[in-house]
Amino acid sequence: MIVKPARVALHVFLVLTCLATLAPLLWALYASLRTYDDTARNGYFSVAEGLTLENFGNAWTQADLPHYYLNTLVVTLPALVLVLLFSSMVAFGVSRFGFRFNIALLMLFTAGNLLPQQVVVTPLYRLYLLTPVPEWLSDSGLLLDSQFGLVLIHVAFQSGFCVFVLSNYMKTIPRELGEAARVDGAGVFRQYWQVILPLCRPALAALATLEFTWIYNDFLWALVLVQTGEKMPITSALQNLKGTFFVDNNLVAAGSLLVALPTLVVFFVLQRQFVGGLTLGSTKG
């Protein structure tokens, strides 16, 4: 068997790329298993005198991670469900029905992805400051400094990408399925809920993985729109591990790994559906 040099070079490149991608994560894991005294004496680029899990326990308690995990889930899960629900409805409308402003509506949602978040920070802050909401949604009485406000902004900014992906996927579903359901007496909502949506499961799983990661890791909107520390999401919990004049980087590394753990769990649980969703249509045409 003759091995082509180009193929060897490709595999070497892929291996090096993989190592370069994993290097920061592996280094953070290595640092988190060392004590501060060890790295202070020998430096971070040295062989550890010993490894311990003590930093993980300290980070869990000092950063109050359970509380911030709950804060993040209160924002991430509703935002994820609403994004996928509303996006699938819009995608169903623009992909399965022909009307005058069909393409314009799709372009409007897609254009939202081209707008940098930082551009609307100031007007959005003022809008949240002037928008009253019931006290059961926000104890401040305003969208500002409320977790409900974070849910709304994530739904607004993430819907465009999801509409674009789902509409393109729904266009690949044969129209005969909708016509057969209509002949059987199914209305528009029943066609959407019982015929089209179940067929979009791979695409929805792929989007759910991506959206969970993006919403979970968000820090900008929480920093701008939430003023009470107790309401902040998990990404802000790492600030509790930093002192004014001293930072234990080993402790921060352990906390960072604990914060990243839920996204890794979600990816591994939905890995098969995620990869399947990314490769949809790759063998067509």
Side-chain angles (χ1 to χ4, degrees):
M1 181 178 178
I2 301 177
V3 180
K4 297 181 179 180
R7 190 173 184 83
V8 174
L10 176 61
H11 281 79
V12 171
F13 172 76
L14 292 176
V15 170
L16 293 177
T17 303
C18 181
L19 292 176
T21 303
L22 292 176
L25 178 62
L26 297 177
W27 195 258
L29 177 61
Y30 178 60
S32 67
L33 295 174
R34 303 179 64 180
T35 63
Y36 176 79
D37 294 336
D38 181 9
T39 54
R41 285 193 302 269
N42 305 313
Y44 288 94
F45 296 92
S46 60
V47 179
E49 297 176 355
L51 301 178
T52 177
L53 297 175
E54 182 180 356
N55 286 324
F56 290 95
N58 292 338
W60 182 268
T61 55
Q62 292 183 28
D64 195 14
L65 290 184
H67 172 76
Y68 289 98
Y69 275 132
L70 180 60
N71 284 354
T72 302
L73 291 179
V74 168
V75 173
T76 303
L77 294 184
L80 179 62
V81 172
L82 291 176
V83 164
L84 296 181
L85 179 63
F86 293 156
S87 299
S88 62
M89 288 181 176
V90 175
F92 175 76
V94 299
S95 64
R96 310 300 292 185
F97 299 97
F99 50 92
R100 186 173 182 180
F101 301 104
N102 187 309
I103 302 300
L105 181 61
L106 178 60
M107 291 178 63
L108 177 64
F109 275 88
T110 306
N113 295 321
L114 305 178
L115 183 67
Q117 298 178 352
Q118 292 81 357
V119 173
V120 297
V121 164
T122 300
L124 188 68
Y125 178 86
R126 295 181 63 86
L127 177 64
Y128 271 45
L129 187 61
L130 298 174
T131 305
V133 294
E135 290 189 1
W136 61 273
L137 282 177
S138 171
D139 55 8
S140 65
L142 301 170
L143 274 181
L144 187 67
D145 196 27
S146 71
Q147 294 169 330
F148 176 67
L150 288 182
V151 172
L152 291 182
I153 194 61
H154 286 311
V155 171
F157 265 92
Q158 301 299 334
S159 293
F161 173 74
C162 293
V163 168
F164 176 76
V165 173
L166 288 173
S167 62
N168 282 281
Y169 178 69
M170 288 182 183
K171 290 178 181 178
T172 66
I173 299 176
R175 291 187 175 273
E176 290 76 9
L177 293 176
E179 294 173 358
R182 187 162 55 249
V183 170
D184 290 337
V188 173
F189 182 78
R190 190 173 180 184
Q191 294 176 43
Y192 157 76
W193 189 257
Q194 295 186 350
V195 178
I196 302 300
L197 202 60
L199 296 176
C200 296
R201 189 174 301 170
L204 290 172
L207 286 175
T209 306
L210 291 174
E211 293 298 329
F212 179 88
T213 302
W214 292 340
I215 297 174
Y216 179 92
N217 288 329
D218 173 73
F219 181 67
L220 172 65
W221 291 124
L223 184 65
V224 173
L225 301 177
V226 177
Q227 299 175 332
T228 304
E230 293 298 317
K231 300 178 182 178
M232 295 287 281
I234 192 71
T235 47
S236 66
L238 296 179
Q239 296 296 325
N240 296 337
L241 300 177
K242 297 181 179 180
T244 305
F245 305 103
F246 170 77
V247 178
D248 185 347
N249 290 316
N250 304 78
L251 187 63
V252 173
S256 300
L257 293 175
L258 290 174
V259 168
L261 188 60
T263 58
L264 296 177
V265 172
V266 169
F267 175 77
F268 285 119
V269 169
L270 299 177
Q271 182 179 13
R272 179 176 300 178
Q273 291 82 357
F274 177 71
V275 175
L278 293 180
T279 57
L280 288 173
S282 61
T283 59
K284 295 182 179 180

